[in-house]
Amino acid sequence: MGAGRDGAKTFSFERMLERFEAIRFRDGKSAGEVNDAALPLAEPYLDAMDEVTLLFDHLGTGFGFVRADVESKTAIMREHVAKLTSGDGAAKDTPAAVNTALEELVEREMAAGTTRQNKPPAGPSAARTLLRLMWATKFLAVLMEELAAAYAPGSKATLKSCVSNAYAAALAEHHGRAIRMGVAVAVNLLPHKDAFVASLGVAVERRDEYLARVQRSFGPLVKRMYAYYERNDLLTLP
């Protein structure tokens, strides 16, 4: 899939998977090859989050706030990367920018004591902003785990239960009552899981392959990133 009729980019499950599979850490390893708490290189991760933004379009208007939040936070993180690399005159696609690890941004803020920053003129800190993207990444990882289990022989799980469980695990505690109510309405309007998977462009014959690839990429990534934030006492940033 590419652009829609209005020129807007449309979601592609294959493209999303490829973006997540392309995520690397400082030593060039993938999330599945990294055994320690760590944050990935910035640009590959942010490119993957662009695809996550498009996925939320398939979950209904109740997830519109989450979609907008992921989109805005991804843009803010790119601004942080640009500021970090601007001293070298580096543009987005130069080695200095592409090889910037998210750890560099967060560690500079930890050293400066600005991880909780969220006011002008500096704006939201990279550490705080990245945490919001991690919530969305975890939601997606849990959702795909739930879907894989829903397609196991004998399972009677529905898309509604899959999305509800993923939302409860990753996002609900961070949202106010109004947003949670909006999500609840959206969940009740979700289609059958087969229709949802088809809407993502996943052919039935490739469904199990895609879900297996998702679990290999998403689960380890979430584990490494959350471990890094836990080790540095950043999971409770406001």
Side-chain angles (χ1 to χ4, degrees), residues 118-146:
N118 190 35
K119 296 180 180 178
S125 70
R128 183 182 183 278
T129 304
L130 179 58
L131 180 59
R132 272 70 183 164
L133 292 181
M134 288 166 53
W135 297 343
T137 308
K138 182 178 179 180
F139 168 82
L140 185 57
V142 176
L143 174 58
M144 294 302 156
E145 288 178 4
E146 292 281 332

Side-chain angles (χ1 to χ4, degrees), residues 28-50:
K29 293 181 179 180
S30 67
E33 298 171 317
V34 176
N35 295 319
D36 194 13
L39 299 179
L41 299 181
E43 280 305 322
Y45 177 74
L46 297 177
D47 286 345
M49 295 311 294
D50 286 336

